[in-house]
Amino acid sequence: MLVILLQLVITLVQSTTRTPECLHFSSKTQGNNHISQGFGKRIPKPTGTGNECSHNLSHWLWHETEHFRTWAMNSTFVTGVRDGTLHPTSFGIFMLQDAIFCLEMSKSFQVAANQLSDGSLKSLLEHEVKSYKRCGDELLTQWHIRNAPAIVVGAECQEYIDNHVNATRDEHPIYGIVAAIPCLRLWPWIGQQINLQNHQYGVYTDWVNYNFDPTYDGYKKLEVMTNEFYAKGLIDKDKALHYYAKSIEGEAAFFDSVKP
C-alpha cells in the first residue's frame, strides 16, 4: 500500500505545474529603517537614494529587494526540489496552498479591474484574472480536489495573499500589477541560478525544468506597464517598494514555510 501511495505522489509531482505559461500564456514602515515583516523576521529596509530609479522603476524595485531573492533561493522548498530531497508530503502541501493562492490572486485582480472602465491597464488586469483562475483550477484538478474552500493555507501564504488584496483594495489598480511582478520574475530567476549549478533534481526534475524555466519573460509586460505609469507620475516610488517588497518577501516566506 505504501509503495502504491508513493507512486501516486511521484506521478502528481511529475504532472503538477504552476507554470509561467499557466499564468502568462498567459506593511507599513516601522521603527528605524525596517519594514514590518509579519513573517517572524525583521529585515533591513533598502536604503537606495532614489536617484537610481529614473523611469525604470521595475529595475530599481528588483535591485532593492535582492536580499529577499537570496532568502527564496535558500528556502526549504527551493533547496528541496533542487536537491531532489523534499518530502513528497511537503511538496503536496505547498502545491495545494499554491492553488488557493492563484485563485485568490484572480479575485484580487478582479477587484482592481472593476475600478476601471476601459484601457490597456484594465485589459492586462482582466488577463491576469483569467490566467490565475485557470492556473488554480488546473492545480486542483491535478490533485483531485473538488472543494477548494476546504483547503486551509498557512500564515505565510495568507499574508502573501493579503498583501495583494490590500494593494488592489486600497490603492490605484496599477499597484495590483506592481505587487504581482515578483511572483512572475522570481521563478525564472531561480531557474537561472539552479541551472548555473547544473543540478539534477531527482523526482522533481520535470517540475523544476518546467516551472523554474529560466527563459520565461512574461513578467516584462507588467514591468512595461509599471514603468509607463511611473513615468506619468501615477506611481509613488516608496509605496510601490512597499507592495513589491512585501510580495517578494511573501514568495520567500511561503517557500520557506514547508518542512524539508
Side-chain angles (χ1 to χ4, degrees):
M1 187 66 181
L2 180 59
V3 173
I4 294 175
L5 178 60
L6 181 57
Q7 289 175 338
L8 175 60
V9 172
I10 290 173
T11 299
L12 286 170
V13 168
Q14 292 175 334
S15 63
T16 295
T17 58
R18 194 262 217 169
T19 65
E21 288 76 10
C22 180
L23 296 177
H24 257 284
F25 186 60
S26 46
S27 117
K28 299 180 181 179
T29 57
Q30 177 178 330
N32 295 323
N33 202 38
H34 281 79
I35 295 176
S36 176
Q37 304 302 326
F39 297 117
K41 297 188 178 184
R42 290 175 63 81
I43 298 177
K45 178 181 177 182
T47 55
T49 63
N51 296 329
E52 314 91 324
C53 191
S54 183
H55 292 315
N56 196 339
L57 176 64
S58 61
H59 176 77
W60 180 77
L61 293 171
W62 180 252
H63 176 268
E64 291 293 278
T65 52
E66 180 181 4
H67 50 296
F68 291 127
R69 300 201 302 273
T70 301
W71 179 10
M73 189 65 197
N74 294 323
S75 65
T76 53
F77 181 86
V78 173
T79 56
V81 296
R82 180 198 66 194
D83 299 335
T85 59
L86 184 66
H87 196 286
T89 299
S90 295
F91 179 84
I93 290 172
F94 180 89
M95 296 313 302
L96 291 178
Q97 291 184 85
D98 203 36
I100 302 304
F101 168 82
C102 290
L103 294 176
E104 292 301 314
M105 287 286 286
S106 176
K107 296 176 185 177
S108 183
F109 276 117
Q110 188 65 68
V111 169
N114 289 344
Q115 299 178 47
L116 303 169
S117 57
D118 54 28
S120 57
L121 177 56
K122 183 177 179 67
S123 296
L124 181 57
L125 288 166
E126 289 180 336
H127 181 271
E128 299 305 302
V129 170
K130 296 176 182 178
S131 296
Y132 276 90
K133 177 68 164 58
R134 181 171 63 249
C135 186
D137 287 342
E138 288 178 357
L139 283 170
L140 291 179
T141 297
Q142 290 165 349
W143 285 85
H144 300 269
I145 301 296
R146 179 181 299 173
N147 186 17
I151 300 174
V152 179
V153 301
E156 294 82 3
C157 182
Q158 187 60 58
E159 291 196 34
Y160 186 8
I161 293 169
D162 290 345
N163 179 61
H164 197 267
V165 170
N166 291 340
T168 58
R169 180 194 61 203
D170 300 337
E171 310 293 351
H172 186 284
I174 187 60
Y175 287 95
I177 295 297
V178 172
I181 293 173
C183 171
L184 302 176
R185 186 167 182 178
L186 181 63
W187 287 50
W189 177 83
I190 289 173
Q192 293 169 3
Q193 310 311 306
I194 289 177
N195 280 355
L196 289 176
Q197 299 174 26
N198 195 28
H199 273 269
Q200 295 298 316
Y201 318 117
V203 69
Y204 298 109
T205 296
D206 289 344
W207 188 92
V208 169
N209 288 335
Y210 200 61
N211 288 273
F212 288 154
D213 178 8
T215 67
Y216 171 72
D217 63 357
Y219 62 87
K220 290 183 178 179
K221 62 181 177 180
L222 279 73
E223 292 190 331
V224 168
M225 182 74 70
T226 295
N227 291 336
E228 288 178 355
F229 272 71
Y230 180 69
K232 295 175 183 178
L234 299 176
I235 293 179
D236 177 82
K237 176 173 65 70
D238 293 330
K239 186 180 292 185
L241 178 60
H242 166 74
Y243 287 111
Y244 191 101
K246 290 290 288 183
S247 285
I248 198 164
E249 177 194 8
E251 283 281 348
F254 186 22
F255 278 143
D256 217 21
S257 67
V258 302
K259 296 180 180 179

